Every structure is written in structure tokens, then in C-alpha cells.
Amino acid sequence: MSVLNAEARSATTHLAADADEPAPVAVEVHGVHKWYGAHRVLDGIDLTVAAGEVTVVLGPSGSGKSTLLRVINHLEQPTLGHVSLGGEPIGVRWHRGRLRELSERQILTQRGRIGFVFQNFNLFPHLTVLENVAAAPVATGLQRRTEAEQSARELLDRVGLGEKADAYPRQLSGGQQQRVAIARALAQRPGVILFDEPTSALDPELVGEVLAVIKDLAAGGTTLVIVTHEIGFAREVADRVVFMDGGRIVEQGTPAEVLDRPRHPRTQEFLSRVL
């Protein structure tokens, strides 16, 4: 697997900084609230993710992390606020000064620009590994089948599973299935990839192989938003760490700032329990 080393990634970051031009915004969350009945899950989230940035979201269970990802992908519609990808609202459009919901077809087209890797893989059990990866580009018209299958083989090689192209998901380990899910997310050439606790369903000995693939994506400049409980992994790959509690972002900054010198009492309490 081709992996850019940490020095190369650091040099790229410094070159961008020296240009005195901020990186273009990939994702922007504008004042998002989400209620389920009387239960408020997200409480006024504002978040900006720059292109090429790796943002890791931490927080206790029930803090709204997974819901935030689903709102970014418009799998959940915000109660208030909206999300933009590259400056374009996701799932809605402005009409006479108000946001109107797009059609499901339009939303599916937009969603193709946002990769999503779930906790439990969500592969189609009746399709081979190759077919799982190639399905979306064919269905959305991004590629013809022969092109999609060639691209799928290249992506499977990238995640170290080229020899498993003709296998079915049930024949793979959990770690292998998650790597296929990552290849499937990449197949749509998304502007950002969202990871919802990608190692939580894996046996401990399989976690490393999935994290290695994500590190490769991070080193290559892919825009990533990752919900995880892997603090060491967050420290290693994140450009920015966001800590959520009670549906709010209570603290964010570099890994050194948030993980080594947390300012908010809730962040301090959480880290004291998990480190």
C-alpha cells in the first residue's frame, strides 16, 4: 500500500500555510439543531472543515457525534440550520430567502460527493467485493460498468484487498469488510469522507489494519471527519480535535491543545477516564 510519510504531509501543510491563503472550505455546519420529539440531540452546532483537513470528533456516548455525521450527509434533516459542501447547501436550496428541501433524487446526487463509512460496514451481502465497490458509480452514472470495475480493482489494491475482488462479504474478516467499505466510499470520488466509529465493531487485533488505511488517506490530503474513541489515533492523524458534550461543541483545537491541555472541565473529565 502506498503511504505518504508524516514528513511529506507536514511539508504540504507548511507550504499551504506559507502561501498566506486559507484552505478552501470543504464542509460548513451552520447553526444546526436536531430534535427527536422533545429530545434535543444537537444544540446549535457551528463547524468549519477546511479542504484536506482531518477533523476528529470525540465525546461521550450520546453527545451527538453520530447524529452530526448523519446531518452532514443529510441522512438526517436538521431541525434548524443547514450544512454546506464546497459552499453549496446539502439537501436544501435557497428559494425566496428560505431553505427548501430538495427532491430525493437531487439529495442522492449530492450525497455522492460525501463518502460515509459506517460502524457495521453495510456491505451488500449478495454482491462480491468488486461489485460492492463498483455499484454506486454505475448507479449514479459517474462511470460505465467496465470503467467502474477497473477503478474498483485499483481501489481494492489501494486498501490491500486486490486478491479478494471475487469474494463475498461473509468470506471476509471484519477488518477486511471495513476496508472494502472504505474503498466503496472512495469510489464516488467524494469531496469529504465521514467515518462513524469505524473500528468499534472490530476485534482488537483487526483495528490496526483499518486505521492504517485511514492514515494513508489522511497523509494523502483527503478531507476526513472521523468520530472515534481511539485517542492515540486522534493524536497521530488529526489536524483538529473537536470535543462534543450534550449536543454542543465545547472545545476544539489541535491535538496538543485539546488532548494535552484541555481547558473545558468536561473535556478534562472525559480524558481523565479514557487515557
Side-chain angles (χ1 to χ4, degrees):
M1 189 187 310
S2 173
V3 180
L4 291 176
N5 60 34
E7 289 80 4
R9 184 162 183 257
S10 176
T12 302
T13 302
H14 289 312
L15 284 172
D18 290 344
D20 291 326
E21 293 183 5
V25 173
V27 178
E28 193 165 10
V29 181
H30 308 266
V32 164
H33 295 254
K34 179 65 182 179
W35 286 275
Y36 296 108
H39 179 51
R40 182 180 296 181
V41 182
L42 298 178
D43 187 13
I45 297 291
D46 290 296
L47 178 66
T48 300
V49 178
E53 182 178 73
V54 180
T55 298
V56 172
V57 183
L58 303 176
S61 297
S63 60
K65 306 183 302 297
S66 294
T67 302
L68 174 60
L69 292 191
R70 293 177 67 84
V71 165
I72 290 174
N73 201 36
H74 212 73
L75 290 170
E76 297 280 357
Q77 184 178 354
T79 307
L80 292 172
H82 72 283
V83 176
S84 297
L85 180 67
E88 177 186 350
I90 296 297
V92 293
R93 64 181 177 89
W94 289 104
H95 179 70
R96 297 180 180 177
R98 300 183 64 182
L99 288 171
R100 302 285 188 182
E101 186 82 359
L102 295 177
S103 69
E104 186 60 30
R105 187 186 187 106
Q106 291 170 311
I107 292 171
L108 286 173
T109 298
Q110 287 188 327
R111 204 173 278 149
R113 298 163 55 199
I114 307 172
F116 203 124
V117 178
F118 298 87
Q119 296 181 34
N120 294 310
F121 327 134
N122 285 14
L123 300 178
F124 296 113
H126 62 290
L127 299 181
T128 66
V129 165
L130 182 71
E131 291 167 340
N132 265 280
V133 177
V138 174
T140 59
L142 182 65
Q143 292 178 311
R144 295 182 179 179
R145 181 166 299 279
T146 54
E147 296 170 329
E149 290 184 353
Q150 178 58 39
S151 296
R153 291 186 188 279
E154 293 170 0
L155 289 169
L156 289 170
D157 283 339
R158 183 174 178 182
V159 300
L161 291 172
E163 77 285 359
K164 297 293 186 179
D166 297 324
Y168 286 87
R170 66 180 178 274
Q171 298 172 307
L172 305 182
S173 69
Q176 289 172 329
Q177 290 187 59
Q178 193 62 295
R179 284 189 278 157
V180 173
I182 293 171
R184 182 179 61 181
L186 287 167
Q188 282 286 91
R189 303 172 187 169
V192 59
I193 303 180
L194 313 176
F195 290 85
D196 188 7
E197 299 192 24
T199 61
S200 65
L202 301 179
D203 292 333
E205 65 268 24
L206 302 177
V207 169
E209 66 187 62
V210 173
L211 295 185
V213 173
I214 301 174
K215 289 176 186 177
D216 182 49
L217 297 178
T222 306
T223 307
L224 308 176
V225 181
I226 308 167
V227 169
T228 184
H229 290 294
E230 300 282 345
I231 303 299
F233 174 67
R235 191 188 304 277
E236 185 175 353
V237 305
D239 296 302
R240 183 159 50 123
V241 174
V242 172
F243 181 78
M244 291 183 64
D245 187 52
R248 298 180 178 181
I249 294 175
V250 301
E251 186 165 358
Q252 60 181 301
T254 66
E257 290 169 340
V258 176
L259 301 179
D260 298 333
R261 300 183 298 277
R263 294 167 294 169
H264 196 281
R266 190 66 187 90
T267 315
Q268 295 170 359
E269 178 187 4
F270 175 81
L271 291 173
S272 71
R273 292 179 176 179
V274 300
L275 292 177

